[in-house]
Amino acid sequence: MTYHFVILAGLLALASPAASDTDALERDGSCPGCDLREASLTGEALVGADLTGANMEESDFSAADLFLALLDEARMDRADFREASLKAATLTDASLRDADFRGADLSGARLKGADVTGARFEGAILCNTVMPDGTLSRDGCD
């Protein structure tokens, strides 16, 4: 009986950082280095959020507003950014493997050095976006 309690307490302790990191993000609007794996932040207003170095693998940011967000060196593999606004966001040296940016607005964003292997950008606005190789995209500029 005692062993079950210790194991349960240990599992709760392991689960707590992600829950508290989500709370910190919602409370402070920033959470550098946070563990936000598999977080559901659909439609959230995260304008100017500092998520530098955060782990956001497999998180859902669809339709979220990440205008001016700092996402440098963050891990966002398999994250969902469909229809999100990432205008003027910085994603320098971020890991975006297999991320979904379909229909997202990345106008003025900086992706220099980011790993976008397998990422989907169909229908994304890449107007004045600095691409991973340092070139400037004009896709979607009117």
Side-chain angles (χ1 to χ4, degrees), residues 35-60:
D35 181 357
L36 298 170
R37 285 174 289 174
E38 299 179 5
S40 179
L41 298 161
T42 303
E44 292 289 328
L46 301 169
V47 175
D50 183 356
L51 294 163
T52 304
N55 185 349
M56 298 175 280
E57 293 176 340
E58 299 183 20
S59 291
D60 187 352

Side-chain angles (χ1 to χ4, degrees), residues 7 31-32 37-38 58-59 68 73 76 82 84 89 93 99-100 103 105 107 109 113 115 119-120 128 139 142:
I7 292 171
C31 199
R37 285 174 289 174
E38 299 179 5
E58 299 183 20
S59 291
L68 287 173
E73 299 177 6
M76 297 172 278
R82 286 176 296 157
D93 298 321
D100 192 346
D105 189 345
S107 298
D115 182 354
R120 300 187 66 181
N128 296 319
D139 290 349
D142 291 335

Side-chain angles (χ1 to χ4, degrees), residues 6-74:
V6 171
I7 292 171
L8 179 59
L11 290 173
L12 290 173
L14 289 173
S16 295
S20 65
D21 285 352
T22 303
D23 293 341
L25 176 60
E26 291 174 359
R27 181 183 64 247
D28 303 332
S30 292
C31 199
C34 280
D35 181 357
L36 298 170
R37 285 174 289 174
E38 299 179 5
S40 179
L41 298 161
T42 303
E44 292 289 328
L46 301 169
V47 175
D50 183 356
L51 294 163
T52 304
N55 185 349
M56 298 175 280
E57 293 176 340
E58 299 183 20
S59 291
D60 187 352
F61 291 93
S62 57
D65 187 356
L66 292 151
F67 175 67
L68 287 173
L70 303 174
L71 304 164
D72 298 321
E73 299 177 6

